[in-house]
Amino acid sequence: MTTRPSATTHLSVARTLDHCTVLGPGSRAVVWVQGCPLRCQGCVAAETLPFEGGTSRSVAELADWLCRLDGIEGVTFSGGEPFSQAGALAELLDTVRERRPDFGAMAYSGFRHEALRRGGPDRLALLARLDLLVDGPYVAARHGSLRWRGSDNQRLIPLTDRYTRAPAEPDTTAGVELSVDADGSLSWAGVPPTPGFREGLEEQLAARGFVLHTEARRER
């Protein structure tokens, strides 16, 4: 069932990225939401954990942004914990797919798929609209150089026929991407292949006089 966008529906967003090739199949937009109830040791995006902060963005505004982007096949939701704002994200996908019916959707979650399936109607609504899910908490002791995942307990789960081949493809890191924002600040996206990546990168950049933009970056 398609949800209708409400003028009052907003998401708390930590960061967005127009094009990314290291957080899911093909070239995708990314939305990092603000707020996560989990506290995974070693999370590289600690700034996205508090529910306070972030930028309030309306579903209508985000849908317009996604629909205007050329050269992407879908969106990846990360964070933060996307399923803490599941209802609004489900509404966002419905709004986008009214204009771009073939728009793909992938999400990360610190909760396992089985737990999400026992969740409330909002979580079930988002699950029903996703094509691909990466589930499970990041476990630093099980860190691996894996495709789109930070630790080997996390699973890549196709939820539709769109990306059924993804789990069979080589399970090696997709790497990270550095980008320069309009204000000249640096940021990065992706799943670091080694533990301690963020600290090491920030130290190397600082030694060269660069400051890394501290908005949402996530290990999982």
Side-chain angles (χ1 to χ4, degrees):
M1 179 181 296
T2 299
T3 59
R4 292 295 176 180
S6 166
T8 59
T9 303
H10 284 71
L11 282 153
S12 181
V13 175
R15 180 189 168 203
T16 60
L17 184 62
D18 290 359
H19 294 82
C20 179
T21 63
V22 295
L23 287 173
S27 183
R28 323 180 62 77
V30 186
V31 176
W32 287 268
V33 300
Q34 182 74 35
C36 178
L38 306 174
R39 293 295 182 270
C40 300
Q41 185 176 1
C43 176
V44 294
E47 63 274 8
T48 70
L49 300 181
F51 284 93
E52 300 78 17
T55 302
S56 180
R57 304 277 298 273
S58 72
V59 164
E61 173 194 357
L62 287 169
D64 285 344
W65 166 67
L66 288 171
C67 288
R68 287 196 306 267
L69 296 177
D70 293 325
I72 63 168
E73 67 170 70
V75 63
T76 294
F77 298 136
S78 189
E81 172 54 55
F83 281 85
S84 290
Q85 301 185 57
L89 290 175
E91 186 174 312
L92 174 60
L93 289 176
D94 283 345
T95 306
V96 171
R97 284 169 173 164
E98 287 182 350
R99 295 155 63 180
R100 296 180 67 167
D102 196 39
F103 202 74
M106 171 179 168
Y108 286 84
S109 178
F111 298 100
R112 287 181 65 83
H113 184 215
E114 293 82 358
L116 294 173
R117 290 178 61 186
R118 296 192 298 269
D122 285 350
R123 291 188 173 188
L124 294 175
L126 180 55
L127 270 181
R129 288 156 175 78
L130 294 176
D131 300 297
L132 194 61
L133 174 72
V134 174
D135 79 337
Y138 171 67
V139 179
R142 298 180 64 174
H143 189 101
S145 181
L146 307 170
R147 193 169 187 232
W148 306 327
R149 301 171 344 273
S151 55
D152 64 13
N153 60 294
Q154 296 172 316
R155 299 176 297 180
L156 189 62
I157 303 174
L159 299 176
T160 68
D161 293 337
R162 186 181 183 109
Y163 300 125
T164 53
R165 295 183 59 185
E169 295 173 357
D171 195 13
T172 56
T173 178
V176 297
E177 292 179 340
L178 282 171
S179 58
V180 180
D181 298 330
D183 61 1
S185 59
L186 290 172
S187 60
W188 64 273
V191 181
T194 57
F197 171 85
R198 173 175 177 170
E199 293 80 2
L201 177 63
E202 289 181 346
E203 289 176 3
Q204 291 184 45
L205 289 174
R208 291 165 173 79
F210 296 100
V211 176
L212 195 65
H213 199 42
T214 57
E215 288 184 348
R217 296 173 296 269
R218 190 161 185 76
E219 185 112 14
R220 65 173 180 112

